[in-house]
Amino acid sequence: MIDLTYVPRDEFERVLSLDVDAARKTALFADLCRVNVLYMVTRAGSGHLGTSFSCLDIVSSLYVNELQDGDVCFSSKGHDAPAFYAVLMALGRIPFDRIHTLRRLDGLPGHPDVSTPSIETNTGSLGMGVSKAKGMLLANRLCGRRGRVFVITGDGELQEGQFWESLPSAANHGLADLTVIVDYNKIQSDTWVSRVSDLGNLDAKLASFGWHVVRVDGHDAAAIAAALHDMAPVTDRPKIVIADTVKGRGVSFMEGTALDPGDRLYRFHSGAPDDEQYVRAATELVDRIDAALASIGSGALQLESSPRPARRVPAQPQKLVAAYSRALVDQARRNPRIVAFDADLALDTGLLPFEAAFPDRFVECGIAEQDMVSQAGGAALKGLLPIVHSFACFLSDRPNEQIFNNATERTKIIYVGSLAGVVPGGPGHSHQAVRDIAVLSAVPGLVLIEPCCEREVELALAYCVDESTDNAYLRLVSVPWEIPFELPREYRLQYGRGVRLAAGGDGVMFAYGPVLVAEAIEAAARLRERHGLSLSVINLPWLNRIDREWFASVVRDTPAIFTLDNHFVDGGQGDMLLRTLAELCLPPRRPRSIVRRFGVAGIPRCGTNDEVLRAHGLDAESLCDVIASALHAQVTA
Amino acid sequence: MIDLTYVPRDEFERVLSLDVDAARKTALFADLCRVNVLYMVTRAGSGHLGTSFSCLDIVSSLYVNELQDGDVCFSSKGHDAPAFYAVLMALGRIPFDRIHTLRRLDGLPGHPDVSTPSIETNTGSLGMGVSKAKGMLLANRLCGRRGRVFVITGDGELQEGQFWESLPSAANHGLADLTVIVDYNKIQSDTWVSRVSDLGNLDAKLASFGWHVVRVDGHDAAAIAAALHDMAPVTDRPKIVIADTVKGRGVSFMEGTALDPGDRLYRFHSGAPDDEQYVRAATELVDRIDAALASIGSGALQLESSPRPARRVPAQPQKLVAAYSRALVDQARRNPRIVAFDADLALDTGLLPFEAAFPDRFVECGIAEQDMVSQAGGAALKGLLPIVHSFACFLSDRPNEQIFNNATERTKIIYVGSLAGVVPGGPGHSHQAVRDIAVLSAVPGLVLIEPCCEREVELALAYCVDESTDNAYLRLVSVPWEIPFELPREYRLQYGRGVRLAAGGDGVMFAYGPVLVAEAIEAAARLRERHGLSLSVINLPWLNRIDREWFASVVRDTPAIFTLDNHFVDGGQGDMLLRTLAELCLPPRRPRSIVRRFGVAGIPRCGTNDEVLRAHGLDAESLCDVIASALHAQVTA
């Protein structure tokens, strides 16, 4: 186990009180913040180093030199939250001890949330920043307040339609108090922006929308200050600063410029460094800071440290995305009509092998989900079988109308949403897909399926490609997950039917996906062990289809029914099961049967996976407790 | 009753065989099509004359002079469907007798649908066209087919983010076979584009996205042909033609240029002309055509005619949008925090009085729903109470992620979706909001309410503004509807509770909104009259909230429960009621009780209101029949 080091608050005060010019001081301040970003992300085990490092000179410049009372500053891209936290803690605007709480329950969320002091708006889903800023300026105007709004965007983010949608009215209304700063680091999640969906001549584009555009070196605090100063007299137009930056700036081996232009994959967008990388990065940062301090006659940095937390690594987890990745390539070899669409998540959605095998049949759309889904619609009309990929949260709702539009054309399209469900809990509510079943439930002719293990992934994809006449949405948990069960050897997907994985006469639990089927199995074991209660556990991968006869046979004689949704409790599979139960009008076996849904209620919590499952009562222990009390109450009633 | 006249197929053949130059012939052909568009829209009682007239010279030019085998042409804006139908029928590509079936069941849909011959893609929801075209060209490439794609867009449509999102990859991939033609008629639904959300320098914008841009007079067939000819050698870029047109072109009093620049409202965007307007327009068109024919020595136009169908006009309909409009102004007088956001539907969402009374607190966003919703989010964060308006179909799904994002900020925002439900049936599935309850059901802290009459509109808005701590979505039926019931004099909204409007012991029907509460009341009357069955009818305006105690008291002793959703049958209020019923575990009074949901299944049908309700089994007659058989089966079982 290694120690992780961070810069304490008083060291920031020392740096800020140094008698050097503002630009030098700001650069130093930003590097101190980099040390703390590195600490936070490494400690959390995940986070976005590359984008936090690239924007740190900009964010530091704003907070140290530019912002005045009444001004507002926020990140539209949102995954640079650690950079904002580092700066805000350094300035005493967020309590400093939260530095140890990134991505923990009640700590600093993976993406910005207004529950954190000085965080002005929730982001993480891209493209909303300029719109939010316009609303804030409207409120300022109507309430007679003064104040400017500064919005930091990414460059990959500019592929999102809402960004362009939001530009014209700011120009038409002459919102001179609005300044957008593009952290133009040239690399989006995995690779070069120009490879994904080239932005073209960005200066010309933005100017053509009536904005005042300037371009600066985004790592030069003096240049940033000068640009902001020079723009101040422009009082009839909103302003945009294109700040040329380097992704991963500050740690040489993480810098985008260290990536060969021919390389497909930038490795420091998300995730956390390993021990060796951490030590190398921290050493480089601290050495540079100490050299700078020495050159102005100030002493070396006094760091504090804390051991890197141990992480539970599952021994033999199920990796659904990897299984999907293999199954897709197999299917595509057999079926030349298959084309795959991606929205800048080729690594995370398992598409790299497909891209390598079928480069002509791989369409990288960039962060442009609406465009992607409608492209798939056009391709399907002309004879292809499009398979459309993104994170479940982004795929199901932003292009929701486009998915419906495609459905009304009665073509066949398969949608694959990964990162489904409430875990991983670290990224927070912008990334936790817990509304996708609900938002897709009323699309005609769209079947929703969630497999619980690698084997079921293959079966589900085969069903979608070969058997289904409906459109399909395949919902995939991305977190590798250990499962204490195995599907029966002879198991086959049967439309609307599930499979019993544990038997018991005291009640039945319905679940789907690796996470909640595993928790259900474990809960059943604890219920048996501790309370002598025996519950059936059914894996039901069909989220919006039910074979009523099969269902009636499963629930007819059970005194208690529990549904488990890795989704909001409203609008999930449980709703389908309960409405079917009501429609069946089965006579209950005992006068007081129990029917209860488990699922996410309220806004999904951010934290470790264990913390989040527990917070929403979806872990085995909570399930065991609640079910035991319910059944006990039933018996004693 | 007046006669409506149309140009029969053989007259088009006569014109096309005239020995005159192509441009003159095309202009004549387009005017003949205008006669038929006027016929279709007037006969249907609704449709989009202004936009159909503005694009007819372009569409005629393409179909008469430009398109070759393998080429594809479609409208992205979609509300110009009558223009496409007129052209396609004139050329024998749609059976001519469908001219009498616009907006009728199994006829020509209000917006394009691929079930119609030669209609290439479904549109009506804006901004999808370029994306669809790219998918078609991908399929062409992978299938080794040749062919160009021509897409007609509106100009207001260009406010939609997806349009800008879709441009870069077409340029990056050098899609030279893609040509977009902007029907630049300067007026969006109600008024000047420049007043709503000015497009700025459109030529420069489009060129900055790497497209080849030309500008032509969109009513000059020779100029259009020349532009397309001149662009042909451009083989490395997609092409865009900005075609300057006049909305309503061809009928002088419908022309946008006849509108005074100071006028707020253009009156011929949608709807149908009255008798006097019809006669005046038809006369002008035919006179001009006859003069042109005479000038080239050809005989006058031989028209056919058909009487204008009588329209049932409700005597004392409830007008919910008008009631909302008044209630909003009242609320705003009392509450200075209220600001209203609109997405180019100020007339249809009842906002004109608000705009007049509070011009500073009215924000016209144009067709930019995502931007609008996020602006509201920013405004709410800074202390305002935003009320956000559009058609329910566009408000609930396109900015769905933005609504969720706002909800995670725990601010208070009210969303008001009009044109809710399956009627009016004329516009078709792009405009029939029957998924909004489902797509909003899993937004935390968002209460969904649908009032059934003008009085309940006021109560509902007052609840949302004054009482609710939740965000709220107010769902409004726009069609004026006669209601055979009255709310009790002492009626007040009570959270999660409904009100009994008819009493009966054989079962209970739950409904909401004027349309289905009216149908339920009428069905109950017929059931009593014809079958001696007495059913309760409950108006339950709460779409996703239920007072379980109240509900249990209502359903405890009833042998049959029916839920009526003016929405897809899955994901509507019925699902909430049935899952609650299941959770309550009430002992049924008789061994075979009946629980059944009514709602829209499959893709919503296009037709008159009566046709559409009947087609989905939601009219009183269908309800009466199905319920009578179900109850009869129960009794005899």
Coordinates of all heavy atoms in Angstrom, one line a residue, chain A residues 120-122 125 131-132 134-135 145 161-162 165 172 198 368 370-371 374-375 382 398 400-402 405 408-409 435 442 575 579 583 585 593 597, chain B residues 120-122 125 131-132 134-135 145 161-162 165 172 198 368 370-371 374-375 382 398 400-402 405 408-409 435 442 575 579 583 585 593 597:
Chain A
E120 N -22.5 25.8 -8.8 CA -23.6 26.6 -9.2 C -24.7 25.9 -9.9 O -25.8 26.3 -10.0 CB -23.1 27.8 -10.1 CG -22.0 28.6 -9.5 CD -22.7 29.7 -8.6 OE1 -23.9 29.8 -8.5 OE2 -21.9 30.5 -7.9
T121 N -24.4 24.8 -10.6 CA -25.4 24.0 -11.3 C -24.9 22.6 -11.5 O -23.7 22.3 -11.4 CB -25.6 24.7 -12.7 OG1 -26.6 24.0 -13.4 CG2 -24.4 24.8 -13.6
N122 N -25.9 21.7 -11.8 CA -25.6 20.3 -12.0 C -25.2 20.0 -13.4 O -26.0 20.4 -14.3 CB -26.8 19.4 -11.6 CG -27.0 19.4 -10.1 OD1 -26.4 20.2 -9.4 ND2 -27.9 18.6 -9.7
S125 N -24.0 15.7 -17.9 CA -24.6 15.4 -19.2 C -24.3 16.7 -20.0 O -24.5 17.8 -19.5 CB -26.1 15.2 -19.0 OG -26.7 15.2 -20.2
S131 N -27.0 27.3 -22.0 CA -28.5 27.5 -21.7 C -28.7 27.9 -20.2 O -29.4 28.8 -19.9 CB -29.3 26.2 -22.0 OG -29.0 25.8 -23.3
K132 N -28.0 27.1 -19.3 CA -28.2 27.4 -17.9 C -27.7 28.9 -17.6 O -28.4 29.6 -16.9 CB -27.3 26.5 -17.1 CG -27.8 25.0 -17.0 CD -28.8 24.9 -15.9 CE -29.3 23.5 -15.8 NZ -28.5 22.6 -14.9
K134 N -27.7 31.4 -19.6 CA -28.7 32.4 -20.0 C -29.8 32.6 -19.1 O -30.3 33.7 -18.8 CB -29.2 32.0 -21.4 CG -28.2 32.1 -22.5 CD -28.8 31.9 -23.9 CE -29.4 30.5 -24.1 NZ -29.9 30.3 -25.4
G135 N -30.3 31.5 -18.5 CA -31.3 31.5 -17.5 C -30.9 32.3 -16.3 O -31.7 33.1 -15.7
R145 N -30.1 42.4 -10.3 CA -28.7 42.1 -9.8 C -27.7 42.2 -11.0 O -28.0 42.1 -12.1 CB -28.7 40.6 -9.4 CG -29.4 40.3 -8.1 CD -29.1 38.9 -7.7 NE -29.4 37.9 -8.7 CZ -30.5 37.0 -8.6 NH1 -31.3 37.0 -7.5 NH2 -30.7 36.2 -9.5
G161 N -25.7 18.9 -29.9 CA -26.6 19.8 -30.6 C -27.0 21.0 -29.7 O -27.2 22.1 -30.1
Q162 N -27.2 20.7 -28.4 CA -27.8 21.7 -27.5 C -26.8 22.9 -27.4 O -27.2 24.1 -27.3 CB -28.0 21.2 -26.1 CG -28.7 22.2 -25.2 CD -29.1 21.8 -23.8 OE1 -28.9 20.6 -23.5 NE2 -29.6 22.7 -23.0
E165 N -27.6 25.0 -30.4 CA -29.0 25.4 -30.2 C -29.0 26.6 -29.2 O -29.9 27.5 -29.3 CB -29.8 24.3 -29.6 CG -31.3 24.6 -29.5 CD -32.1 23.3 -29.0 OE1 -32.2 22.4 -29.8 OE2 -32.6 23.3 -27.9
N172 N -28.5 37.2 -30.0 CA -29.6 38.1 -30.4 C -30.0 39.0 -29.2 O -30.4 40.1 -29.4 CB -30.9 37.2 -30.7 CG -30.7 36.5 -32.0 OD1 -29.8 36.9 -32.9 ND2 -31.4 35.4 -32.2
D198 N -14.7 15.9 -36.3 CA -13.9 17.1 -36.4 C -14.7 18.3 -36.2 O -15.8 18.5 -36.9 CB -13.1 17.1 -37.7 CG -12.0 18.2 -37.7 OD1 -11.7 18.7 -36.7 OD2 -11.5 18.5 -38.8
A368 N -23.2 13.1 -30.1 CA -24.3 13.6 -30.9 C -25.3 12.5 -31.0 O -25.6 11.9 -32.0 CB -23.7 13.9 -32.3
Q370 N -28.6 12.4 -30.7 CA -29.8 12.6 -31.6 C -29.5 12.3 -33.0 O -30.2 11.6 -33.7 CB -30.4 14.0 -31.4 CG -30.7 14.3 -30.0 CD -31.6 15.6 -29.8 OE1 -31.7 16.4 -30.8 NE2 -32.2 15.8 -28.7
D371 N -28.4 12.9 -33.5 CA -27.9 12.6 -34.8 C -27.7 11.2 -35.0 O -28.1 10.6 -36.1 CB -26.7 13.4 -35.1 CG -26.1 13.3 -36.4 OD1 -26.9 13.3 -37.4 OD2 -24.9 13.0 -36.6
S374 N -31.0 9.1 -35.3 CA -31.7 9.4 -36.6 C -30.9 8.8 -37.8 O -31.5 8.4 -38.8 CB -32.0 10.9 -36.8 OG -33.0 11.3 -35.8
Q375 N -29.6 8.9 -37.7 CA -28.8 8.2 -38.8 C -29.1 6.7 -38.8 O -29.3 6.2 -39.9 CB -27.3 8.4 -38.5 CG -26.7 9.7 -38.9 CD -25.2 9.6 -38.8 OE1 -24.6 8.8 -39.6 NE2 -24.5 10.3 -37.9
K382 N -33.2 1.9 -45.3 CA -32.5 1.5 -46.6 C -31.8 0.2 -46.4 O -30.9 -0.1 -47.2 CB -31.6 2.6 -47.0 CG -32.2 3.9 -47.4 CD -33.3 3.8 -48.5 CE -34.0 5.1 -48.8 NZ -35.1 4.9 -49.7
R398 N -31.9 11.5 -24.1 CA -31.6 12.7 -25.0 C -32.2 12.4 -26.4 O -32.9 13.3 -27.0 CB -30.2 13.0 -25.1 CG -30.0 14.4 -25.7 CD -28.6 14.9 -25.4 NE -28.3 15.3 -24.1 CZ -27.6 16.4 -23.7 NH1 -27.1 17.2 -24.6 NH2 -27.4 16.7 -22.5
N400 N -34.6 10.4 -27.2 CA -35.9 9.7 -26.9 C -36.9 9.9 -28.1 O -37.5 8.9 -28.5 CB -36.4 10.1 -25.6 CG -37.6 9.2 -25.2 OD1 -38.7 9.4 -25.6 ND2 -37.3 8.2 -24.3
E401 N -37.0 11.1 -28.5 CA -38.0 11.4 -29.6 C -37.6 10.7 -30.9 O -38.4 10.3 -31.7 CB -38.2 12.9 -29.7 CG -39.4 13.3 -30.6 CD -39.6 14.8 -30.7 OE1 -38.6 15.5 -30.4 OE2 -40.7 15.2 -31.0
Q402 N -36.3 10.7 -31.1 CA -35.7 10.1 -32.3 C -35.9 8.6 -32.3 O -36.2 8.0 -33.3 CB -34.2 10.4 -32.4 CG -33.9 11.9 -32.8 CD -34.1 12.9 -31.7 OE1 -34.3 12.5 -30.5 NE2 -34.0 14.2 -32.0
N405 N -39.5 8.2 -33.1 CA -39.7 8.4 -34.6 C -39.3 7.2 -35.4 O -40.0 6.8 -36.3 CB -38.9 9.7 -35.0 CG -38.9 9.9 -36.5 OD1 -38.1 9.3 -37.2 ND2 -39.8 10.7 -36.9
T408 N -41.8 4.5 -35.3 CA -43.0 4.7 -36.1 C -42.8 4.3 -37.6 O -43.7 4.2 -38.3 CB -43.5 6.1 -36.0 OG1 -42.5 7.0 -36.6 CG2 -43.8 6.6 -34.6
E409 N -41.5 4.1 -37.9 CA -41.2 3.7 -39.3 C -41.2 2.2 -39.4 O -41.0 1.7 -40.5 CB -39.9 4.3 -39.7 CG -39.9 5.8 -39.8 CD -38.6 6.5 -40.2 OE1 -37.6 6.0 -39.9 OE2 -38.7 7.6 -40.9
R435 N -33.6 5.7 -15.3 CA -34.9 6.1 -15.9 C -35.1 5.5 -17.2 O -36.1 5.7 -17.9 CB -34.9 7.6 -16.0 CG -34.8 8.3 -14.6 CD -35.2 9.8 -14.8 NE -34.5 10.4 -15.9 CZ -35.2 11.0 -16.9 NH1 -36.5 11.0 -17.0 NH2 -34.5 11.5 -17.9
A442 N -43.0 3.3 -23.3 CA -44.1 3.5 -24.2 C -43.7 3.7 -25.7 O -44.5 4.3 -26.4 CB -44.9 4.8 -23.7
D575 N -43.3 -2.4 -12.0 CA -44.6 -1.8 -12.4 C -45.3 -2.8 -13.3 O -46.5 -3.0 -13.2 CB -44.4 -0.5 -13.0 CG -44.4 0.7 -12.0 OD1 -44.3 0.4 -10.8 OD2 -44.5 1.8 -12.4
R579 N -48.8 -4.6 -12.3 CA -50.0 -4.4 -13.1 C -50.5 -5.7 -13.7 O -51.7 -5.9 -13.7 CB -49.8 -3.3 -14.2 CG -49.2 -3.9 -15.4 CD -49.1 -2.9 -16.6 NE -48.5 -3.5 -17.7 CZ -47.4 -3.0 -18.3 NH1 -46.8 -1.9 -17.9 NH2 -46.9 -3.7 -19.3
E583 N -54.1 -7.4 -13.0 CA -55.0 -7.8 -14.1 C -55.4 -9.3 -14.0 O -56.4 -9.7 -14.5 CB -54.3 -7.6 -15.5 CG -54.3 -6.1 -15.8 CD -53.4 -5.8 -17.1 OE1 -52.5 -6.6 -17.4 OE2 -53.6 -4.7 -17.7
C585 N -56.0 -10.9 -11.4 CA -57.0 -11.1 -10.4 C -56.9 -12.5 -9.7 O -57.9 -13.2 -9.6 CB -58.4 -11.0 -11.0 SG -58.7 -9.3 -11.6
S593 N -51.5 -11.2 1.9 CA -50.2 -11.4 1.2 C -49.5 -10.1 1.1 O -50.0 -9.0 1.4 CB -50.5 -11.9 -0.2 OG -51.3 -11.0 -0.9
R597 N -42.4 -3.4 -4.0 CA -41.4 -3.1 -5.0 C -40.1 -2.5 -4.3 O -40.3 -1.7 -3.4 CB -41.9 -2.1 -6.0 CG -43.1 -2.5 -6.8 CD -43.6 -1.3 -7.7 NE -44.0 -0.2 -6.8 CZ -44.0 1.1 -7.2 NH1 -43.6 1.4 -8.4 NH2 -44.4 2.0 -6.3
Chain B
E120 N -40.5 8.8 -47.9 CA -39.2 8.1 -47.6 C -38.9 7.9 -46.1 O -38.2 7.1 -45.7 CB -38.1 8.8 -48.3 CG -38.2 8.9 -49.8 CD -37.8 7.6 -50.5 OE1 -37.3 6.7 -49.8 OE2 -37.9 7.6 -51.7
T121 N -39.5 8.8 -45.3 CA -39.2 8.8 -43.9 C -40.2 9.5 -43.1 O -40.9 10.4 -43.7 CB -37.8 9.4 -43.6 OG1 -37.5 9.3 -42.2 CG2 -37.7 10.9 -44.0
N122 N -40.4 9.2 -41.8 CA -41.4 9.9 -41.0 C -40.8 11.2 -40.4 O -39.7 11.1 -39.8 CB -41.8 9.0 -39.8 CG -42.6 7.8 -40.3 OD1 -42.7 7.6 -41.5 ND2 -43.1 7.0 -39.4
S125 N -41.6 15.9 -36.3 CA -40.8 16.5 -35.2 C -39.5 16.9 -35.9 O -39.0 16.2 -36.7 CB -40.6 15.3 -34.3 OG -39.6 15.7 -33.4
S131 N -29.8 14.0 -40.5 CA -29.3 12.8 -39.9 C -29.9 11.6 -40.6 O -29.1 10.6 -41.0 CB -29.8 12.7 -38.4 OG -29.4 13.8 -37.7
K132 N -31.1 11.6 -40.9 CA -31.8 10.5 -41.6 C -31.1 10.3 -43.0 O -30.8 9.2 -43.4 CB -33.2 10.7 -41.9 CG -34.1 10.6 -40.6 CD -34.6 9.2 -40.4 CE -35.5 9.1 -39.2 NZ -36.9 9.2 -39.5
K134 N -28.1 11.0 -43.9 CA -26.7 10.5 -43.7 C -26.8 9.0 -43.6 O -26.0 8.2 -44.1 CB -26.0 11.1 -42.5 CG -25.6 12.6 -42.8 CD -24.7 13.1 -41.7 CE -25.4 13.1 -40.3 NZ -24.5 13.7 -39.3
G135 N -27.8 8.5 -42.8 CA -28.0 7.0 -42.6 C -28.3 6.4 -44.0 O -27.8 5.3 -44.3
R145 N -25.1 0.8 -53.7 CA -26.0 1.5 -54.6 C -25.6 3.0 -54.8 O -24.9 3.6 -54.0 CB -27.4 1.6 -53.8 CG -28.1 0.2 -53.7 CD -29.5 0.5 -53.1 NE -29.5 1.1 -51.8 CZ -29.8 0.5 -50.7 NH1 -30.1 -0.8 -50.7 NH2 -29.7 1.2 -49.5
G161 N -31.5 22.1 -32.3 CA -30.1 21.7 -32.1 C -29.6 20.6 -33.0 O -28.5 20.5 -33.5
Q162 N -30.6 19.6 -33.2 CA -30.2 18.4 -33.9 C -29.7 18.8 -35.3 O -28.8 18.1 -35.9 CB -31.3 17.4 -34.0 CG -30.8 16.1 -34.7 CD -31.9 15.0 -34.8 OE1 -33.0 15.2 -34.2 NE2 -31.6 13.9 -35.4
E165 N -26.2 19.7 -35.0 CA -25.5 18.5 -34.5 C -25.2 17.6 -35.7 O -24.2 16.9 -35.8 CB -26.3 17.8 -33.5 CG -25.7 16.6 -32.9 CD -26.6 16.0 -31.8 OE1 -26.8 16.6 -30.7 OE2 -27.1 14.9 -32.0
N172 N -17.4 16.2 -42.7 CA -16.1 15.5 -42.5 C -16.0 14.3 -43.4 O -15.0 13.8 -43.8 CB -16.1 15.0 -41.0 CG -15.9 16.2 -40.1 OD1 -15.4 17.2 -40.5 ND2 -16.3 16.0 -38.8
D198 N -33.6 34.9 -34.2 CA -33.0 35.2 -35.5 C -31.9 34.3 -35.8 O -31.0 33.9 -35.0 CB -32.4 36.6 -35.4 CG -32.1 37.2 -36.7 OD1 -32.4 36.6 -37.8 OD2 -31.4 38.3 -36.8
A368 N -36.4 25.2 -29.8 CA -35.1 24.9 -29.2 C -35.5 24.4 -27.8 O -35.2 25.1 -26.8 CB -34.2 26.2 -29.1
Q370 N -34.5 22.0 -25.8 CA -33.5 21.6 -24.8 C -32.9 22.9 -24.2 O -32.8 23.0 -23.0 CB -32.4 20.8 -25.5 CG -32.9 19.5 -26.2 CD -31.8 18.6 -26.6 OE1 -30.6 18.9 -26.6 NE2 -32.1 17.4 -26.8
D371 N -32.6 23.8 -25.1 CA -32.1 25.1 -24.6 C -33.2 25.8 -23.7 O -32.8 26.3 -22.6 CB -31.9 26.0 -25.8 CG -31.4 27.4 -25.4 OD1 -30.4 27.5 -24.6 OD2 -31.9 28.4 -26.0
S374 N -33.2 24.0 -20.2 CA -32.0 24.3 -19.4 C -32.0 25.8 -19.0 O -31.5 26.1 -17.9 CB -30.8 23.9 -20.1 OG -30.7 22.5 -20.3
Q375 N -32.5 26.7 -19.8 CA -32.6 28.1 -19.4 C -33.5 28.2 -18.2 O -33.1 29.0 -17.3 CB -33.2 28.9 -20.6 CG -32.2 29.4 -21.6 CD -32.8 30.5 -22.5 OE1 -33.1 31.6 -22.1 NE2 -33.1 30.1 -23.8
K382 N -31.5 30.8 -9.8 CA -31.3 32.1 -9.4 C -32.6 32.8 -8.9 O -32.7 34.0 -9.0 CB -30.6 32.9 -10.4 CG -29.2 32.3 -10.8 CD -28.2 32.4 -9.6 CE -26.9 31.8 -9.9 NZ -26.1 31.6 -8.7
R398 N -38.0 15.4 -26.0 CA -36.7 16.0 -26.6 C -35.9 16.6 -25.5 O -34.7 16.3 -25.4 CB -37.0 16.9 -27.7 CG -35.7 17.2 -28.5 CD -35.9 17.9 -29.8 NE -36.6 17.1 -30.8 CZ -36.3 17.1 -32.1 NH1 -35.3 17.9 -32.5 NH2 -36.9 16.4 -32.9
N400 N -36.0 15.7 -22.4 CA -36.2 14.9 -21.2 C -35.0 14.9 -20.2 O -35.2 14.9 -19.0 CB -36.5 13.5 -21.7 CG -37.0 12.5 -20.6 OD1 -36.2 12.0 -19.9 ND2 -38.3 12.4 -20.5
E401 N -33.8 14.8 -20.8 CA -32.6 14.7 -19.9 C -32.5 16.1 -19.2 O -32.0 16.1 -18.1 CB -31.4 14.4 -20.8 CG -30.2 14.0 -19.9 CD -29.0 13.6 -20.8 OE1 -29.0 14.0 -22.0 OE2 -28.1 13.0 -20.2
Q402 N -32.9 17.1 -19.9 CA -32.7 18.5 -19.3 C -33.7 18.6 -18.1 O -33.4 19.3 -17.1 CB -32.9 19.5 -20.4 CG -31.8 19.7 -21.3 CD -31.7 18.6 -22.4 OE1 -32.6 17.8 -22.6 NE2 -30.6 18.6 -23.2
N405 N -32.3 16.7 -15.3 CA -31.1 17.5 -14.8 C -31.6 18.6 -13.9 O -31.1 18.8 -12.8 CB -30.3 18.1 -15.9 CG -29.2 19.0 -15.5 OD1 -29.5 20.2 -15.2 ND2 -28.0 18.5 -15.2
T408 N -32.7 17.3 -10.6 CA -31.7 17.0 -9.6 C -31.1 18.2 -8.9 O -30.4 18.1 -7.9 CB -30.5 16.3 -10.3 OG1 -29.8 17.2 -11.2 CG2 -30.9 15.0 -11.0
E409 N -31.5 19.4 -9.4 CA -31.1 20.6 -8.7 C -32.1 21.1 -7.6 O -31.9 22.1 -6.9 CB -30.9 21.8 -9.7 CG -29.7 21.4 -10.6 CD -29.4 22.5 -11.7 OE1 -30.4 23.2 -12.1 OE2 -28.2 22.6 -12.1
R435 N -46.9 9.6 -24.9 CA -45.8 8.9 -24.2 C -45.3 9.8 -23.0 O -44.4 9.5 -22.3 CB -44.6 8.6 -25.1 CG -45.0 7.7 -26.3 CD -43.7 7.2 -26.9 NE -42.8 8.3 -27.3 CZ -41.6 8.4 -26.8 NH1 -41.1 7.5 -26.0 NH2 -40.9 9.4 -27.2
A442 N -40.4 8.8 -14.2 CA -39.3 8.5 -13.3 C -38.4 9.7 -13.0 O -37.3 9.6 -12.6 CB -38.5 7.3 -13.9
D575 N -51.2 2.1 -15.1 CA -50.1 1.4 -14.5 C -50.0 1.7 -13.0 O -49.8 0.8 -12.2 CB -48.8 1.6 -15.2 CG -48.6 0.7 -16.4 OD1 -49.6 0.1 -16.8 OD2 -47.5 0.7 -17.0
R579 N -50.6 -1.0 -10.1 CA -49.5 -1.5 -9.2 C -50.0 -1.2 -7.8 O -49.7 -1.9 -6.8 CB -48.2 -0.8 -9.6 CG -48.1 0.6 -9.1 CD -46.7 1.2 -9.2 NE -46.7 2.5 -8.7 CZ -46.3 3.6 -9.4 NH1 -45.9 3.5 -10.7 NH2 -46.4 4.8 -8.9
E583 N -50.3 -3.8 -4.7 CA -49.6 -3.6 -3.4 C -50.6 -3.6 -2.2 O -50.2 -3.9 -1.1 CB -48.8 -2.2 -3.4 CG -47.6 -2.3 -4.3 CD -46.9 -0.9 -4.5 OE1 -47.6 0.1 -4.4 OE2 -45.7 -0.9 -4.8
C585 N -53.1 -5.5 -1.9 CA -53.5 -6.8 -1.6 C -54.9 -6.9 -1.0 O -55.2 -7.6 0.0 CB -52.5 -7.5 -0.6 SG -50.9 -7.6 -1.2
S593 N -62.9 -11.1 -10.2 CA -63.1 -9.7 -10.5 C -62.4 -9.4 -11.8 O -61.6 -10.2 -12.3 CB -62.5 -8.8 -9.3 OG -61.2 -9.1 -9.2
R597 N -57.1 -2.3 -18.3 CA -56.6 -1.0 -18.7 C -57.1 -0.7 -20.2 O -57.0 -1.6 -21.0 CB -55.1 -0.9 -18.7 CG -54.5 -1.1 -17.4 CD -52.9 -1.2 -17.5 NE -52.5 -2.3 -18.3 CZ -51.4 -2.3 -19.0 NH1 -50.5 -1.3 -19.0 NH2 -51.1 -3.4 -19.8

